[in-house]
Amino acid sequence: NIMAADIKPNWSVTEKLLFRFFFLLFPLLTLLWNKVPYYEDEASSVFYSIAHWIKGTFLNIQTVVSHPTGSSDTIDHWVMMVTFIILSVLGAAFWTTLDRRRTNDQLLHQWLRVYLRYYVAVAMLLYGFNKVIPTQFRFPSLLALHGQLGDHTPQNLLWHMMGYSVPYMVFS
C-alpha cells in the first residue's frame, strides 16, 4: 500500500518516459520471451518474424535456420531483446507525446508492481518445484550416452550430467 506521502503528484517528463518504457518492456519480456523461439502462438511468430526481418535488413545476417539449444544466448534471442527495447522506446515516446496532460501514472505503477511481484513469485515457485521434484533435467538418452564426447556442446554435457545425477540436481 502506498502512503499519501509517498505519492509524488507531478512526475517529470523523464520519470514518465522511463516508467512508460519499463511498463511496456516488462510484459513483452515476461509474457513473450519464453515462447518466441518455438512459434507457440501467433504473437510469438509475429515477433519472431520481425526479429528475422531486422536481422536480415539491418544486420545483414541472412541465416533463418535456428535450432533450439536450450540457451537464450543465440543471435535470435539478442535480436528479439533489441526488438523489444526498440518497441518499448517508441511506444513510451508515442504514449508520452499523446498523454502530455497526465501528471503521473501512479495507478499503472501500482498495477505493474503487483504484476511483477506475482510473476517473480510464480517463477521462483516453479523453479523451486523443478528442483524438489527433479524434472528440470532429463536423464540422458541412449543416443547421447553412446555418442562421442566431442559431439556434445558444453551445455549439453552439463545438462546430461545434471540429468544423470538426481541428488546433485536436487541439491543445486
Side-chain angles (χ1 to χ4, degrees):
N1 208 3
I2 296 178
M3 302 291 183
D6 293 338
I7 298 175
K8 187 176 175 185
N10 294 321
W11 289 5
S12 69
V13 174
T14 305
E15 289 172 322
K16 286 191 258 186
L17 272 170
L18 283 172
F19 169 75
R20 292 167 179 175
F21 167 76
F22 287 112
F23 186 83
L24 295 171
L25 181 65
F26 286 147
L28 286 173
L29 293 177
T30 57
L31 295 175
L32 294 175
W33 183 257
N34 295 329
K35 296 180 179 183
V36 166
Y38 304 107
Y39 291 97
E40 289 185 17
D41 59 13
E42 287 180 29
S44 294
S45 72
V46 166
F47 281 107
Y48 201 57
S49 299
I50 292 170
H52 276 296
W53 177 78
I54 289 172
K55 192 168 62 169
T57 305
F58 297 109
L59 301 176
N60 201 22
I61 299 173
Q62 301 304 322
T63 58
V64 293
V65 178
S66 174
H67 55 9
T69 62
S71 171
S72 296
D73 193 14
T74 64
I75 188 68
D76 293 330
H77 282 93
W78 284 105
V79 169
M80 188 59 61
M81 176 64 82
V82 170
T83 303
F84 287 165
I85 290 170
I86 290 170
L87 288 174
S88 297
V89 165
L90 294 175
F94 185 69
W95 181 1
T96 303
T97 302
L98 290 180
D99 195 13
R100 289 185 203 141
R101 294 182 189 194
R102 187 179 309 270
T103 58
N104 65 44
D105 288 312
Q106 198 62 44
L107 184 62
L108 288 177
H109 181 257
Q110 290 174 355
W111 279 109
L112 180 64
R113 290 174 60 180
V114 169
Y115 170 75
L116 290 175
R117 285 178 184 160
Y118 278 104
Y119 181 82
V120 169
V122 168
M124 290 175 68
L125 284 171
L126 289 175
Y127 183 76
F129 286 137
N130 280 335
K131 289 297 189 178
V132 174
I133 305 166
T135 57
Q136 186 176 16
F137 302 99
R138 288 177 280 154
F139 191 81
S141 67
L142 284 176
L143 182 65
L145 290 174
H146 285 280
Q148 292 191 11
L149 188 59
D151 292 340
H152 295 285
T153 65
Q155 181 179 2
N156 283 341
L157 193 58
L158 172 67
W159 282 45
H160 291 322
M161 188 276 302
M162 295 292 281
Y164 185 78
S165 177
V166 175
Y168 188 77
M169 177 182 9
V170 171
F171 173 73
S172 68

